[in-house]
Amino acid sequence: AATGIYKQIASLRPDVIKANTILAFWAIKASNDLGIPSIWVIHESEEPLSHLAEHGPAAVRRGQQALAMAYRVVFVSHATRALYARLLIRYYYVTIHNGFDRVLYDSKSRHLNRIALRTEFAISDDKFVGLLPGTIVERKSQVDLVRAVEILPEEICAKLLIFIVGDTGSPYSSKLREAWGRLSPAKQTCIRILPHTGMIEKYFVASDFMVFTSRIECFPKVIQEAMC
């Protein structure tokens, strides 16, 4: 499998390889072996290399070795970089914060009408609408939102609607739906769990506030989107 990947990369003749997230350590190793400069962007603000532990100690060792192979290692926050400080044996490390493409957002949203969208989504005028965007995965802990709704007074839930957008059919999304199914029928109407969409801008425009439940993040996109 490794030989096939090496051949594929070599056939493309790239000037540089960008590896995204800690899980892409193998791309750094491949670029090093092929003599191609690499940039490794690390987002994970958890114990360094812990994402690789489930693949065994060999994967952890190779991930640590890869930190010294990349032409540049880019962290998206100073806090994330600080977690890796003890492993940074070279000086090829920089912090470049995540960015938000306002021009792209404006081009996708300028034609959207809030009233029309709320009609499309069957949102009544008395609803206060929240949005929790992002792939439904355990580390983003969307289930905490369901648990929060569970303890809200009924009179608040009657005026509340929250979209959880990002279901890709994972085992965790099944757990999320099971938790939702344990809510009372009245409180179930507070939450709509929806699939991943290429037009999340519709929900930005239709919503009144955004929700963020991730337990471990660096400088996540959803905060930037909410600020925008």
Side-chain angles (χ1 to χ4, degrees):
T3 301
I5 291 172
Y6 278 36
K7 287 182 177 178
Q8 185 176 6
I9 293 174
S11 70
L12 296 172
R13 302 179 64 184
D15 295 315
V16 64
I17 292 175
K18 176 188 173 185
N20 191 46
T21 80
I22 195 71
L23 296 174
F25 72 96
W26 57 270
I28 302 300
K29 177 67 164 60
S31 66
N32 184 72
D33 291 348
L34 293 169
I36 302 170
S38 60
I39 298 173
W40 195 3
V41 182
I42 297 178
H43 305 259
E44 294 83 358
S45 283
E46 299 173 70
E47 177 64 25
L49 308 175
S50 59
H51 282 64
L52 306 181
E54 62 182 281
H55 303 293
V60 175
R61 287 195 301 273
R62 289 169 183 159
Q64 185 168 351
Q65 291 166 358
L67 287 169
M69 295 177 182
Y71 173 72
R72 287 287 188 275
V73 177
V74 178
F75 297 97
V76 299
S77 74
H78 294 306
T80 306
R81 181 177 174 179
L83 288 173
Y84 281 77
R86 61 184 171 81
L87 300 177
L88 305 183
I89 59 176
R90 295 169 66 186
Y91 295 99
Y92 301 153
Y93 307 96
V94 296
T95 299
I96 301 177
H97 298 297
N98 278 330
F100 183 81
D101 192 337
R102 183 60 185 261
V103 174
L104 177 62
Y105 171 77
D106 287 345
S107 69
K108 297 179 71 173
S109 63
R110 65 168 55 98
H111 67 285
L112 299 176
N113 180 276
R114 175 180 170 85
I115 296 175
L117 286 172
R118 288 171 76 102
T119 299
E120 177 184 336
F121 296 147
I123 302 171
S124 58
D125 293 339
D126 64 332
K127 293 293 186 181
F128 191 50
V129 181
L131 169 62
L132 173 50
T135 304
I136 294 176
V137 292
E138 187 166 4
R139 68 180 176 83
K140 295 189 177 182
S141 201
Q142 288 92 345
V143 73
D144 287 348
L145 176 59
V146 176
R147 292 168 178 160
V149 167
E150 186 176 14
I151 62 175
L152 282 176
E154 293 283 352
E155 58 270 23
I156 291 179
C157 290
K159 298 181 179 180
L160 181 66
L161 173 62
I162 301 179
F163 293 110
I164 301 179
V165 182
D167 191 356
T168 57
S170 67
Y172 180 74
S173 69
S174 297
K175 293 181 181 179
L176 177 67
R177 290 183 178 276
E178 289 172 4
W180 175 85
R182 291 192 291 270
L183 294 175
S184 67
K187 291 189 174 183
Q188 285 180 4
T189 63
C190 288
I191 298 176
R192 298 183 193 175
I193 303 172
L194 303 172
H196 180 272
T197 175
M199 272 302 293
I200 191 65
E201 293 79 13
K202 284 188 172 184
Y203 295 94
F204 290 158
V205 173
S207 299
D208 299 302
F209 69 99
M210 290 178 70
V211 186
F212 180 54
T213 55
S214 292
R215 298 186 177 187
I216 303 174
E217 290 284 359
C218 44
F219 183 33
K221 204 70 154 180
V222 66
I223 289 179
Q224 294 176 306
E225 291 167 342
M227 291 168 66
C228 179

